[in-house]
Amino acid sequence: MANIKSAKKRIRVIDKKTARNIRIKGHMKDAEKAFLAAVAAGDVDEATKAFRALEKELMQAAAKNTIHKKTASRKVSRMAARLNELKQN
């Protein structure tokens, strides 16, 4: 356990950031599951709504440095490709 005041504060700050990151990643995973379920069901309207929500969650996570900016862009690109494939069929 830390004895120095600044080290104790850093522990508190890290705990808050860890909790925030876990919460944000949970929202991302929920949004991704909803999108993939809509794609699997073949529901274009629901998949489009879920894609918008997923893109928002990913970009917010990237903005808060929970995930890397390029990771978010890559995931959005892959999901957009799936959505476009669904719309084609």
Side-chain angles (χ1 to χ4, degrees), residues 15-67:
D15 288 342
K16 285 180 188 176
K17 286 186 176 187
T18 300
R20 183 190 70 192
N21 288 343
I22 290 169
R23 189 176 66 251
I24 291 171
K25 285 183 179 182
H27 293 313
M28 283 177 13
K29 288 177 185 177
D30 290 343
E32 188 171 356
K33 285 177 188 175
F35 173 74
L36 293 175
V39 169
D43 189 356
V44 176
D45 292 333
E46 190 63 34
T48 304
K49 287 181 192 175
F51 176 74
R52 282 195 217 114
L54 174 59
E55 184 177 17
K56 181 179 178 182
E57 290 293 338
L58 287 169
M59 290 306 162
Q60 285 180 339
K64 295 292 184 181
N65 290 322
T66 300
I67 61 173

Side-chain angles (χ1 to χ4, degrees), residues 58-78:
L58 287 169
M59 290 306 162
Q60 285 180 339
K64 295 292 184 181
N65 290 322
T66 300
I67 61 173
H68 195 273
K69 180 176 66 170
K70 290 187 178 182
T71 301
S73 294
R74 183 178 66 245
K75 286 181 179 267
V76 168
S77 176
R78 289 178 180 172

